[in-house]
Amino acid sequence: LYLAVPWGGVVYGTIWIITLAMITNWMPFGMRVVSANMSQIHSELEEASYVAGASWTRTFRRVFLPLLSPGLLAAWIWVTVHAFRNVSIPLMLFTRENQTVGVQIFNIYERGSYNGVAALGVTLIIILSLLVLLAQQIGKRFGVKQTGK
């Protein structure tokens, strides 16, 4: 059950195993959003950058990153909102030293403190709602603007 990492540590029983499991679980959803964004960037932009003498890193920084950043931000916020409410993965991998918010809610519920569960739940809803509102504001500012008749 122990996963050793190249730098000599053990990951099991640490917060890193939960992080690794959450990344593995949510990466396909984030990549789906980002790949849809990447498919809209035409290869001629990259070719034009190379013709102008830019290196791959400069092309990535100056061409791709500005065009990908709204999609990356949207994917990050979407995954973060859904990962915060995930209980199953952290519940299987937590120890006393590395409890997530979902595990804390579950533990408080098991102790019978329903007021504590409600308070923590409302706090979590407020934090995630603020994150969604931030995403909406960023989307309004940097998103696609349509001119209608």
Side-chain angles (χ1 to χ4, degrees):
L1 283 176
Y2 286 93
L3 174 67
V5 290
W7 54 87
V10 176
V11 177
Y12 187 77
T14 66
I15 194 70
W16 298 111
I17 191 69
I18 296 174
T19 305
L20 182 65
M22 295 292 265
I23 288 171
T24 304
N25 184 47
W26 293 104
M27 188 182 293
F29 299 101
M31 286 304 297
R32 184 146 187 138
V33 173
V34 173
S35 67
N37 195 12
M38 286 180 67
S39 68
Q40 296 177 6
I41 299 174
H42 204 278
S43 62
E44 290 177 354
L45 293 172
E46 181 181 9
E47 293 169 7
S49 178
Y50 290 147
V51 167
S55 65
W56 182 88
T57 55
R58 186 172 174 95
T59 300
F60 183 76
R61 262 192 5 251
R62 298 291 197 154
V63 177
F64 285 116
L65 203 55
L67 294 172
L68 286 176
S69 58
L72 289 170
L73 182 66
W76 181 81
I77 290 174
W78 191 86
V79 167
T80 301
V81 167
H82 289 289
F84 256 98
R85 64 187 184 95
N86 190 347
V87 177
S88 58
I89 291 173
L91 200 56
M92 289 187 293
L93 298 172
F94 85 97
T95 60
R96 263 196 317 239
E97 292 83 26
N98 60 8
Q99 295 183 10
T100 62
V101 175
V103 172
Q104 285 290 338
I105 289 174
F106 184 77
N107 286 339
I108 294 170
Y109 174 78
E110 285 290 312
R111 282 186 249 136
S113 177
Y114 303 117
N115 292 337
V117 171
L120 194 53
V122 168
T123 304
L124 190 60
I125 288 171
I126 290 170
I127 291 170
L128 294 178
S129 296
L130 290 174
L131 189 61
V132 169
L133 287 173
L134 175 70
Q136 287 177 341
Q137 292 303 316
I138 291 172
K140 285 179 186 175
R141 183 170 180 195
F142 297 108
V144 176
K145 294 177 179 44
Q146 297 179 348
T147 57
K149 291 185 179 184

